[in-house]
Each structure stands twice: as structure tokens, then as C-alpha cells.
Amino acid sequence: MSVGSDNRRADRPGGLNRRRHGVLAHETDALILGSGAAGLTAALAAAVAGLRVTVLEKADVVGGTSAMSGAGTWIPANHHAAAAGIADSPEEALAYIRAAAPPGWAEREDALWQRLVEASAPMLRFVEEHSPLRFALTPEPDPLRDLPGAKPRGRMVSPLPLSRFRAGRFASRIRKSQIPELFTYHEAVETDLYHHPYRTAWQLWPRLLWRLLTNTRGKGTALIVGLIRGCLDAGVRIETGARAVELLKDRMGTVTGALVEQRGVTERVTARRGVVIATGGFEWDAERLERHFPGGADYLGSAPTNTGDGHRMAEAVGAALDRMDQATLSPCIPVRHEGRIMAQPVPFHTEPNAILVNRHGLRFVNELTFNIGEALDARDADGRPVNQPCWVISDELLPYRLPPARWAAQADPSWLHRDDTIAGLAARIGLDPAVLEATVARYNAACAEGRDGDFGRPSAADAAAKGDKRRRGGLEPIERAPFLAMPFSRSILGTKGGPRTDDRARVLDVEGHVIPGLFAAGASSANPIGTRGVGAGTTIGPYMTWGYVAGTEIARRNR
């Protein structure tokens, strides 16, 4: 592994590469596998605590799926909310998570929930103190607002834009996103960018021009730039093109490092304090995806390097894998990105003239349900999906009101199905024409009545969520030919299962015992908040928090 990096501690004794038994040897205190939000937060926490830290990234670019994200971040009881006069507490957040959780989850996850709500706010303050990242509140409420502990505002934040130049030698090596990072998350939520992209861009042109001139971006790019800068300033060594292939253990069963392949050379990297697995999900491993998500996915929206490396390595040293059927399932449209058709999050199913039907041609859920992914992924006793394939049914107005839908049809011509009649449309997508005609007629009757008696979809846009312009809602008949059908089964932005951990991010074996020296965070661990999210940012927020927990725990560990 090359030494040339920004690490200020690389010249310490034991910090240089040297030949040992025919392989390149490198020693560090904490070894972080993966450069997404969880891994970089873990690295920053360990480095600030005084450890020599090495981050290994499998790809030639850094940031993982976090760099591709909108970077909406759910952080309860954070200091920005307090500054805005919004009262919140870990206890209220815990009550909310407990009320939102699927039946039976509390028995195994409650200790992790408690650690999450206690560590989230300190994590955010720590990151802002030790990096150029600055977060700001968004207008979004907790989406499950009728539950105990829910808040109308204050738990959702997102980073302010940063110039990629702040990332130093990694400025041109931040993973590119399939979503427009020129806009911030706040602008995506607070403006009508989805429905009027050109008008919105014109309204914002002075700031957009400045960002272009200064190489400044928002969303996931800003998040990773800030974390990279913080890590470099703290002396973290970051290596790209370095794939960990095997965890190393001593005779006592303690994880002591990893075998790493980089540019044709195999290296034994020794980690005196331990290893943090933060390598992302397994959704790009077709075999494992089919095993845990029968029927696969329409589109994937994560880093293609998410092939389950961390899962395989952890399993090989006896780790218990858990929650493997959980994922971030998001409404998405197809977009062409770096030579692939990938998922781009766009809630096109919430348009007033759109309904969602299952494989029988029937509506089965209120389309404005926040955790729509759970309904899509409902399973039978054998683990097979009961609703898929699912479809969004609409009419000719949708692509005109929502330009991203037009662009999606250009990116993947097989995505959009058209016909002059509902019966003809049903035949094109393999549904019973009579059933689909009856479903659409029933919805149109509900629109005329102004009340959805079947699923309680509101007849007007949700006033409580008026700060989020992305979702229109309401009831409007589907009556203008040509009629449209778009697949809406699963689009996965990241799986959420992996090595089981305790509330200190320590990986557990199949008997529930701690594997000494091994930690996991982010999409590489069994997420205590699975498919059923509690806010728009229940990936990035908890992932960073578990990275922070792992980094602080590895620093406390004596070797």
C-alpha cells in the first residue's frame, strides 16, 4: 500500500509499510473497512480520541452509497432544534421508536434504540466540532406523527453545501450521484423542484452558478466532503482500491486485522484496537439478494461495490447475520448513471392521478403511506412477496406534471407502458382487464365523492407536511388517455441486514457472544430500525451514530 497520503502520523514507529513473510505489512490502531458515512464517522471518532486510523475503500472513489444520497439525517434532540426553541429529548425519541417498531422487535432491539437516541445528538455536535460540516433543520415532521413522542419538526437535518476542493486529494474522487447534488436537500424539499425543475433552477440561478464556479455541492457530496476533510485533519490514512478479503484472528479468537488486496498486492493489515466493518449492503450480490428478497428488485440505487464483502468476512469468523430481509425500499424512477440503469428516488406514486395496484390489479394501500416499502414487500408464511409485481396506474397528465417521469421513460424505454384503454393497459402488463377496470372505476368514484373509503387517502394535500413540496397527494380521477403503467415493486437504496451487534457496535457470534476486536456499523450491520423507517433520514442519521459509537468504543478498548 502506498504511503503517500495526508496522514500526519504515517511516520510513527510501526506506521510504515515493510516486508514481512513475503507480503506488505501495515500496522494501525483502528482499521475501518468502507468510506461511507458510517465508516468515516467511526474513523473521525477514533482519530480524535488519539488513535492511528486507516480507512480502506474497495472502490477507486470514496463515499459509498452515502455520497449518492440526499443526506437527509434524522437526529432526535439535536442542538439545532434546541436553538430553534424546539423541545425534544432522548426519552421522547425512544417512545416514538418503540411505538413505531414492528411487533416483537423491542425484545431484541430496545437496548440498541436506547443507545441510538442517547448517542445521536452528541454525534452531530462532535461531527460539527471536528469537521467543516454544518447542518441545518429541514421543515419535515416525524412522518408517523400520531405516535407517542413524535415531533412536528426538529429531528430532520441535512448538511449545508461544501466545495469539493475541501476534500483535498479526494476532491475529484467523491463518488458521483444519480441525483442532482448541485441542489441541496433543503432546496429539494422546500422548492417544487420535482414538478418545476427548470423554473426552480432559474429562480436559484445565482447560487447555482456560484456552486458551479466553486465546485460546491450539497446532499451526499457535501456530507462526504466534510467527513473526509475532518478525517484528514485528524490524521486518518485513507486508501482507495483496497479490498479487504479476509479478517485475521489470533489464537484467542480476537480479530486483529485483515488481508487486503490493492493493485495486485496482498497486504496483511494489523489493527491493534480492532476492525470496523462499514462496507455497505449486499444488494449487488444477485444470489444473496434473491435469497433474502425473492423476486429481486426493479432497480438498485446504491454503490455497485455493495456486494456483501463485510457480510462474508464476518460470517467467516463466526458472526451471526440478522435482519437480512430488511432494506431501504424507496419509490424510484430509472435513471442512466455511469453506464447503468439505476434507481433515483422520486415519489411519483403520490401524484393525485396515480394509484398503486398489486399483481391482482387491486389497490392494497394508501399511496401516501410513509413506509410504502413495507406494503410492497409484505411476505407470506414462506417468505414470498404477496403483492408483487406492483404497478403505478395513471394517465397522460402525470409525465407533464412531473418531468422526471418523462426523463425516466427515456432512460429506460421498458419502464413506461401506455394504452388508449384501461383494459388494453392491463393486457400489456399481465393483469386481468376486468379487475383493473373495476379498480380504476372505484378510485374515480372515490374522487367524485371526495373520500377514499377503502384506504383513507386524504382528498387534499397533507397540510401537516406542507413544508415538503415533493409529495402532492389528493384525489384526482384517472380518465385521460393514454393510460399509463409503471413498475413499482422494489427499488432498493441499500439492504439493512448484516452482522448482529450489541449496543456498543461490537459484533456478536451465533451464540450471542462478543467477537473481540470486531465492530460493525451502517448498512453492514443488522439495523435496529429496519425497513420501517421513523423519518426520511433513518438511514444516514443512525448509520453515522453507529459509526460514532463504534469509533468511540474502539478507542476505549485496551490491547
Side-chain angles (χ1 to χ4, degrees):
M1 211 178 269
S2 61
V3 179
S5 77
D6 294 79
N7 191 336
R8 298 173 184 175
R9 300 174 183 144
D11 57 352
R12 286 183 177 180
L16 298 176
N17 293 337
R18 59 183 182 274
R19 289 283 176 181
R20 180 186 297 168
H21 304 303
V23 297
L24 278 171
H26 170 65
E27 294 181 0
T28 189
D29 293 327
L31 178 62
I32 316 297
L33 306 180
S35 66
L40 292 176
T41 305
L44 183 62
V48 169
L51 271 60
R52 180 167 55 241
V53 180
T54 300
V55 173
L56 302 182
E57 169 55 53
K58 169 184 176 180
D60 291 326
V61 292
V62 295
T65 301
S66 301
M68 305 169 70
S69 74
T73 308
W74 191 80
I75 302 290
N78 66 78
H79 59 283
H80 293 291
I86 300 171
D88 195 7
S89 67
E91 292 74 23
E92 291 173 286
L94 182 60
Y96 176 62
I97 292 175
R98 285 171 173 168
W105 276 51
E107 181 180 350
R108 300 177 59 207
E109 307 295 356
D110 200 69
L112 278 71
W113 295 338
Q114 292 183 50
R115 186 63 182 271
L116 174 66
V117 299
E118 292 165 358
S120 291
M123 178 279 295
L124 188 66
R125 189 179 294 278
F126 169 85
V127 166
E128 290 194 337
E129 288 174 351
H130 296 282
S131 81
L133 277 169
R134 297 295 179 268
F135 290 78
L137 295 177
T138 80
E140 298 158 284
D142 280 338
L144 310 175
R145 60 183 178 274
D146 295 329
L147 297 182
K151 293 291 178 180
R153 186 168 179 258
R155 290 176 177 164
M156 276 294 295
V157 298
S158 189
L160 299 177
L162 284 173
S163 170
R164 283 190 285 223
F165 294 136
R166 301 292 296 274
R169 65 189 180 92
F170 294 100
S172 62
R173 290 194 282 161
I174 307 295
R175 183 178 286 280
K176 300 294 191 298
S177 176
Q178 74 276 37
I179 62 176
E181 301 279 332
L182 189 62
F183 296 91
T184 66
Y185 181 88
H186 299 88
E187 290 160 352
V189 171
E190 295 169 2
T191 71
D192 206 359
L193 179 63
Y194 284 86
H195 297 97
H196 300 287
Y198 301 113
R199 185 179 73 187
T200 302
W202 175 250
Q203 292 170 342
L204 300 177
W205 76 262
R207 69 177 72 166
L208 299 181
L209 178 60
W210 176 251
R211 289 174 194 164
L212 287 170
L213 294 174
T214 58
N215 201 16
T216 294
R217 297 295 186 271
K219 299 178 183 170
T221 299
L223 178 66
I224 296 302
V225 166
L227 289 172
I228 288 285
R229 184 69 264 161
C231 284
L232 294 178
D233 289 345
V236 174
R237 172 181 182 159
I238 302 173
E239 293 284 351
T240 58
R243 179 181 184 180
V245 295
E246 181 183 344
L247 294 173
L248 303 175
K249 295 173 69 176
D250 63 16
R251 286 177 294 180
M252 302 298 293
T254 299
V255 172
T256 58
L259 282 181
V260 179
E261 295 177 350
Q262 186 186 40
R263 302 179 184 92
V265 176
T266 299
E267 179 179 357
R268 182 181 296 269
V269 181
T270 300
R272 285 186 288 271
R273 296 290 186 95
V275 177
V276 179
I277 295 175
T279 52
F282 61 83
E283 58 276 4
W284 287 91
D285 178 344
E287 185 278 328
R288 199 184 286 266
L289 182 68
E290 180 61 31
R291 189 192 322 164
H292 297 290
F293 293 87
D298 290 340
Y299 303 101
L300 300 178
S302 60
T305 48
N306 284 9
T307 54
D309 291 4
H311 301 71
R312 286 189 292 274
M313 289 186 289
E315 209 170 15
V317 297
L321 301 189
D322 200 9
R323 304 300 187 196
M324 295 292 281
D325 61 349
Q326 303 294 298
T328 301
L329 304 174
S330 180
C332 292
I333 61 173
V335 63
R336 185 166 292 278
H337 178 66
E338 297 186 338
R340 301 174 184 262
I341 299 295
M342 296 186 68
Q344 181 183 74
V346 175
F348 68 100
H349 67 297
T350 64
E351 293 298 295
N353 61 326
I355 59 173
L356 184 59
V357 302
N358 62 15
R359 63 183 179 180
H360 305 296
L362 300 171
R363 284 182 75 207
F364 59 98
V365 68
N366 174 355
E367 289 81 3
L368 273 62
T369 298
F370 174 71
N371 280 303
I372 194 75
E374 273 198 317
L376 299 174
D377 198 39
R379 315 273 184 104
D380 61 20
D382 296 323
R384 304 291 303 183
V386 299
N387 288 313
Q388 297 178 31
C390 304
W391 301 88
V392 169
I393 306 298
S394 188
D395 62 24
E396 70 164 355
L397 290 179
L398 187 143
Y400 291 99
R401 292 172 170 172
L402 194 69
R406 299 200 300 271
W407 305 335
Q410 295 169 2
D412 183 359
S414 68
W415 177 70
L416 183 64
H417 302 262
R418 291 184 175 91
D419 200 274
D420 288 337
T421 66
I422 295 294
L425 185 68
R428 287 180 182 273
I429 60 176
L431 299 181
D432 185 314
V435 172
L436 187 60
E437 283 183 320
T439 296
V440 172
R442 186 173 180 85
Y443 176 73
N444 288 347
C447 295
E449 186 181 349
R451 186 179 70 88
D452 177 15
D454 293 328
F455 298 101
R457 176 171 164 171
S459 59
D462 185 1
K466 62 183 178 181
D468 186 347
K469 299 289 196 302
R470 294 169 297 182
R471 300 169 182 266
R472 284 198 164 176
L475 298 172
E476 184 178 295
I478 301 169
E479 58 187 6
R480 297 184 58 167
F483 300 100
L484 312 177
M486 294 143 282
F488 199 80
S489 294
R490 292 190 191 106
S491 287
I492 297 179
L493 300 185
T495 53
K496 300 179 88 169
R500 184 78 193 174
T501 70
D502 65 7
D503 62 350
R504 294 161 64 182
R506 301 179 300 179
V507 173
L508 305 177
D509 65 17
V510 293
E511 295 181 350
H513 301 136
V514 169
I515 299 177
L518 187 59
F519 301 78
S524 306
S525 64
N527 195 295
I529 302 177
T531 300
R532 185 179 297 182
V534 295
T538 44
T539 47
I540 295 295
Y543 287 3
M544 292 179 69
T545 300
W546 286 116
Y548 175 72
V549 169
T552 54
E553 287 295 329
I554 206 169
R556 293 191 184 106
R557 185 168 181 265
N558 293 321
R559 288 296 304 275

